[in-house]
Amino acid sequence: MTRASTAGEKTEKGRIALEVELTNYEDKVRARNGDIPPEKVRRIRIDAIVDTGAAHLVIPQSAADALGVPVIGEAGVRYADESRAKKKIVNAVEVSLLSRSGIFRAIVEPARTEVLLGAIVLEDMDFIVDCRAQKLVPRDPEMIQSEIE
């Protein structure tokens, strides 16, 4: 299943599903510095859902374990049903999709099976959601654009 080359597909809930690559960014830096061989960089390909109603990157516990990313704290989360919980936050998760990448903290959700890409991830990587076509697209295909005053 290689969906990363497409811009996504409509899900039954109207959100966009695609495949992303997650990498332990600290491993990547260690490989760049020659401390570990490049093939030891931990990375996975995993299904993801784009949800503009969510703010952050949320990853399954299984993904956090596979990547070996460090826990840096906890976050309070509120679910759609208004229930609340505390969840672990991990650091240095590199997200790669559609020829772009960014490094983020992530909330770890043990019950999830797919990654949730929230608004902060989309903004940082300069993606927009094409609601009519139900797909994720770069605002500028050539490069990330940033607005500065």
Side-chain angles (χ1 to χ4, degrees):
M1 169 167 78
T2 306
R3 289 189 279 177
S5 60
T6 67
E9 62 186 47
K10 186 176 179 180
T11 66
E12 56 213 45
K13 296 178 184 176
R15 293 185 287 183
I16 298 167
L18 62 160
E19 188 178 74
V20 299
E21 182 176 86
L22 302 181
T23 304
N24 179 321
Y25 187 73
E26 290 181 358
D27 282 359
K28 198 170 178 180
V29 170
R30 291 178 62 214
R32 189 178 310 131
N33 292 337
D35 297 331
I36 62 171
E39 62 272 10
K40 294 290 186 184
V41 174
R42 291 169 280 186
R43 63 185 74 221
I44 60 171
R45 295 192 71 76
I46 186 169
D47 289 335
I49 299 291
V50 174
D51 184 358
T52 57
H56 297 280
L57 173 66
V58 181
I59 65 173
Q61 181 68 56
S62 59
D65 293 343
L67 294 171
V69 287
V71 175
I72 60 167
E74 287 186 326
V77 298
R78 186 181 65 221
Y79 296 99
D81 67 1
E82 298 299 322
S83 64
R84 296 176 183 266
K86 285 185 183 177
K87 300 296 176 179
K88 292 186 284 186
I89 299 174
V90 295
N91 201 27
V93 177
E94 181 177 37
V95 176
S96 300
L97 71 145
L98 303 174
S99 301
R100 295 197 173 167
S101 65
I103 304 150
F104 304 94
R105 292 180 299 164
I107 296 170
V108 178
E109 178 62 64
R112 288 196 78 81
T113 57
E114 75 282 324
V115 169
L116 186 98
L117 302 173
I120 291 171
V121 176
L122 301 177
E123 182 72 23
D124 185 73
M125 295 174 75
D126 201 26
F127 286 118
I128 57 172
V129 175
D130 180 338
C131 295
R132 176 174 281 156
Q134 285 291 296
K135 65 181 182 177
L136 190 64
V137 295
R139 184 167 44 152
D140 179 333
E142 298 298 317
M143 69 181 74
I144 291 172
Q145 297 293 322
S146 184
E147 296 170 13
I148 301 173
E149 278 191 35

